[in-house]
Amino acid sequence: MIEPFIYPAATLIAGVDEVGRGPLVGAVVTAAVILDPARPIIGLADSKKLSEKRRLALYDEIVEKALSWSLGRAEPDEIDRLNILHATMLAMQRAVAGLHIAPDMVLIDGNRCPKLPMRSQAVVKGDSRVAEISAASILAKVTRDREMTELDREFPDYGFAQHKGYPTAFHLERLAVLGATEHHRRSFAPVRRALER
């Protein structure tokens, strides 16, 4: 049983989540969402626990009903330069900075917060406990999945549309045979090994 979350006192709360820390390819994508209490969205949950069809329907509803939402990202070269943790924090800062309404509190999925100009709080398992973070996780996941489908059209031999860039056996085998694309993260061990061959 996940503990229910007790919201801090705040007027405008943004939820922030990321998708894509584990993959070997592509950007880490983050989203920040301020929900509208007057327009509730039913069925928000951790994006990983929703079917693709349900995620896509919720994505459209969040974009339509949220008071403000924004995407942030860090590209593979930034991930290689900064490391994945620091690149994720940078992408989260970019998502919050992109909101057209400034929140007075930011709730972040996980156990650490990026430096932000307003109060923030890390929430472990926040994507299951906080509606704003669930909404952010859905926007980030749908966005990144779409990017992987696009990349799959450009590089059809790697199977990006299926594994979304994660280090599956198929992806590792293709990496060994075909080498890395310019979108691969060179600092990640399997990619580094493929490049050394």
Side-chain angles (χ1 to χ4, degrees), residues 58-70:
L58 283 166
Y59 176 96
D60 292 339
E61 197 177 348
I62 294 160
V63 165
E64 184 206 336
K65 289 182 174 175
L67 288 175
S68 186
W69 64 275
S70 167

Side-chain angles (χ1 to χ4, degrees), residues 23-183:
L24 306 178
V25 71
V28 59
V29 177
T30 58
V33 180
I34 302 173
L35 293 174
D36 184 349
R39 303 178 79 196
I41 298 168
I42 307 302
L44 289 173
D46 173 4
S47 63
K48 297 183 287 296
K49 297 187 176 132
L50 297 165
S51 68
E52 187 179 12
K53 187 180 171 193
R54 188 80 194 98
R55 265 200 310 271
L56 291 170
L58 283 166
Y59 176 96
D60 292 339
E61 197 177 348
I62 294 160
V63 165
E64 184 206 336
K65 289 182 174 175
L67 288 175
S68 186
W69 64 275
S70 167
L71 296 167
R73 55 195 297 119
E75 300 301 337
D77 63 324
E78 293 179 304
I79 293 167
D80 291 336
R81 197 171 71 243
L82 299 170
N83 81 34
I84 187 62
L85 174 67
H86 289 100
T88 302
M89 294 292 136
L90 177 63
M92 286 180 169
Q93 288 169 331
R94 287 170 174 167
V96 173
L99 292 166
H100 74 284
I101 302 170
D104 58 352
M105 183 71 190
V106 179
L107 300 175
I108 293 178
D109 184 52
N111 58 6
R112 59 177 73 202
C113 296
K115 286 193 174 69
L116 293 169
M118 66 287 289
R119 287 186 304 146
S120 62
Q121 182 182 332
V123 184
V124 174
K125 297 203 175 3
D127 46 12
S128 304
R129 298 167 65 203
V130 176
E132 290 82 355
I133 297 177
S134 301
S137 84
I138 291 163
L139 294 193
K141 179 150 178 59
V142 169
T143 301
R144 194 175 190 286
D145 285 358
R146 284 174 176 167
E147 290 177 11
M148 287 296 106
T149 304
E150 289 287 307
L151 206 58
D152 190 68
R153 291 193 193 104
E154 206 181 325
F155 300 95
D157 299 330
Y158 287 85
F160 293 137
Q162 281 69 50
H163 55 64
K164 307 293 191 272
Y166 283 89
T168 60
F170 179 79
H171 187 187
L172 295 174
E173 183 262 325
R174 299 278 75 194
L175 199 55
V177 172
L178 303 166
T181 69
E182 69 261 35
H183 304 282

